[in-house]
Amino acid sequence: MSKVEDFLTQEQEQQIVAAIRRAENTTSGEIRIHIEKHTDLDVLDRTREVFHFLKMDNTVQHNGVLIYVAVDDHRFAIYGDQGINDVVADDFWDSTKDVILNQFKKGDFTQGLIDGVLMAGAQLQKYFPWDHTGSNELSDEISKG
């Protein structure tokens, strides 16, 4: 599979977007997914770069989370903004990465992303509970590079 467009079907994308919306109903945190074919950079460096390109560092509470996938490289990373990193333990995202990786190893990329999004939302809820006065600051749609 070498094309980003072939990684997920439209129906699978909509299932993931629905999971993002469900997760964001319990937290003021913002969760996004970015998928691209390949990166020449270290996967975490590229994730940070995409995070800034998508303006995810512009949220009020600095509580955005990006799940980045480089399809052809078989690599992914999770990156949380400074507001999150200021309040959580260093291993905060390890369980989320493990859940995603477990499904990816089975070849179930859709379920891996859904599970990761829902787990990220549950973890964010502890530190950034949903506020009915808040708004959805970032698109829930999957971005592609």
Side-chain angles (χ1 to χ4, degrees):
M1 180 177 313
S2 62
K3 289 185 179 179
V4 172
E5 296 81 21
D6 294 336
F7 184 63
L8 299 170
T9 66
Q10 187 65 25
E11 181 180 329
Q12 290 169 324
E13 282 191 33
Q14 290 311 308
Q15 291 171 356
I16 295 166
V17 169
I20 292 170
R21 290 180 178 143
R22 191 166 55 239
E24 288 182 354
N25 279 337
T26 65
T27 177
S28 62
E30 294 286 338
I31 303 168
R32 293 210 59 191
I33 294 176
H34 181 82
I35 300 170
E36 59 188 18
K37 181 178 176 178
H38 165 75
T39 180
D40 289 324
L41 300 175
D42 170 80
V43 70
L44 191 53
D45 290 340
R46 178 62 181 149
T47 305
R48 282 188 205 103
E49 190 175 84
V50 171
F51 187 90
H52 296 297
F53 176 77
L54 294 174
K55 299 183 183 338
M56 293 185 67
D57 47 357
N58 291 341
T59 59
V60 173
Q61 295 185 53
H62 297 284
N63 58 356
V65 174
L66 177 63
I67 299 173
Y68 169 88
V69 179
V71 176
D72 284 358
D73 301 334
H74 303 278
R75 304 286 311 246
F76 76 96
I78 303 172
Y79 182 76
D81 204 352
Q82 190 62 44
I84 297 168
N85 293 332
D86 285 347
V87 296
V88 302
D90 290 340
D91 62 351
F92 182 71
W93 294 115
D94 290 345
S95 57
T96 303
K97 284 190 259 184
D98 291 344
V99 163
I100 294 170
L101 185 58
N102 185 42
Q103 292 295 338
F104 278 17
K105 284 180 178 178
K106 297 177 190 176
D108 196 342
F109 304 108
T110 303
Q111 194 60 52
L113 292 171
I114 288 170
D115 290 353
V117 163
L118 294 176
M119 182 168 270
Q123 292 188 59
L124 285 172
Q125 181 184 20
K126 297 173 192 172
Y127 300 96
F128 300 95
W130 182 74
D131 178 0
H132 69 279
T133 62
S135 64
N136 191 4
E137 296 178 81
L138 300 173
S139 171
D140 296 332
E141 298 301 315
I142 296 171
S143 63
K144 298 175 185 168

